[in-house]
Amino acid sequence: MSTRPSTRPGGRSARVQQSVHDAARDLVAERGREGLTVPMIAARAGVTPSTVYRRWGDLQELLADVAVAHLRPDGPPDDRGSLRDDLDAWAELFLDEMASPPGRAYVRDVLSGDPDGLGAGQCSAYAAEQLTVILERAVERGEVAPGLEDTMDAVVAPMVYRILFRPGALTADYARGLVDALLAR
């Protein structure tokens, strides 16, 4: 993942980033990762390969950046009216998205193209931001809510471990069971 400063919103750099991301996603969907090259992506995006290398360094860093952008939530988590319902819905959605074949590929891309851990840290921050919203809403409703780190450790960490190393039996019941165990503490 590039450690360069973020781009200006709406500037040329942002347009280049978007076109390269779109080209990478499209080519992965069309051809898979095997045989994918920076020159192919650059040609599809309408930029030179040197532009891609300058911004991302190599193909793995580019794919990691695309994955981090894809894993960014579209908006705040749904408000279902209670902490349990909010956490159950969020955990089920998180598990469904991350355990899907595309989700697993994005997780692998983030980890393999991210030697400094910046992209993985950003993905963790996305989950923490979503859970913070849920936990703060619960407190505002007068519910007793666990802390963020306890929630990350009890719900997110086991799911990510299972997604990466023990992918069987990743069901909505599994996600709800993690929430049950957290709230039973």
Side-chain angles (χ1 to χ4, degrees), residues 58-155:
D58 64 22
L59 180 61
Q60 275 311 126
E61 287 188 37
L62 169 58
L63 292 175
D65 194 46
V66 169
V68 169
H70 177 80
L71 295 172
R72 181 182 313 120
D74 294 332
D78 290 342
D79 185 347
R80 305 278 177 125
S82 74
L83 175 61
R84 176 174 299 280
D85 290 344
D86 286 356
L87 283 175
D88 279 345
W90 184 88
E92 288 176 38
L93 181 63
F94 180 85
L95 183 62
D96 186 55
E97 289 179 0
M98 299 298 278
S100 70
R104 287 176 199 225
Y106 282 125
V107 170
R108 285 190 301 272
D109 286 342
V110 168
L111 296 175
S112 66
D114 186 25
D116 299 327
L118 298 174
Q122 186 59 57
C123 290
S124 177
Y126 294 153
E129 289 166 8
Q130 294 273 294
L131 290 170
T132 295
V133 169
I134 290 170
L135 298 172
E136 288 176 352
R137 277 196 301 228
V139 170
E140 289 170 6
R141 288 189 293 254
E143 296 177 84
V144 176
L148 174 61
E149 291 306 314
D150 286 341
T151 305
M152 293 288 287
D153 290 346
V155 178

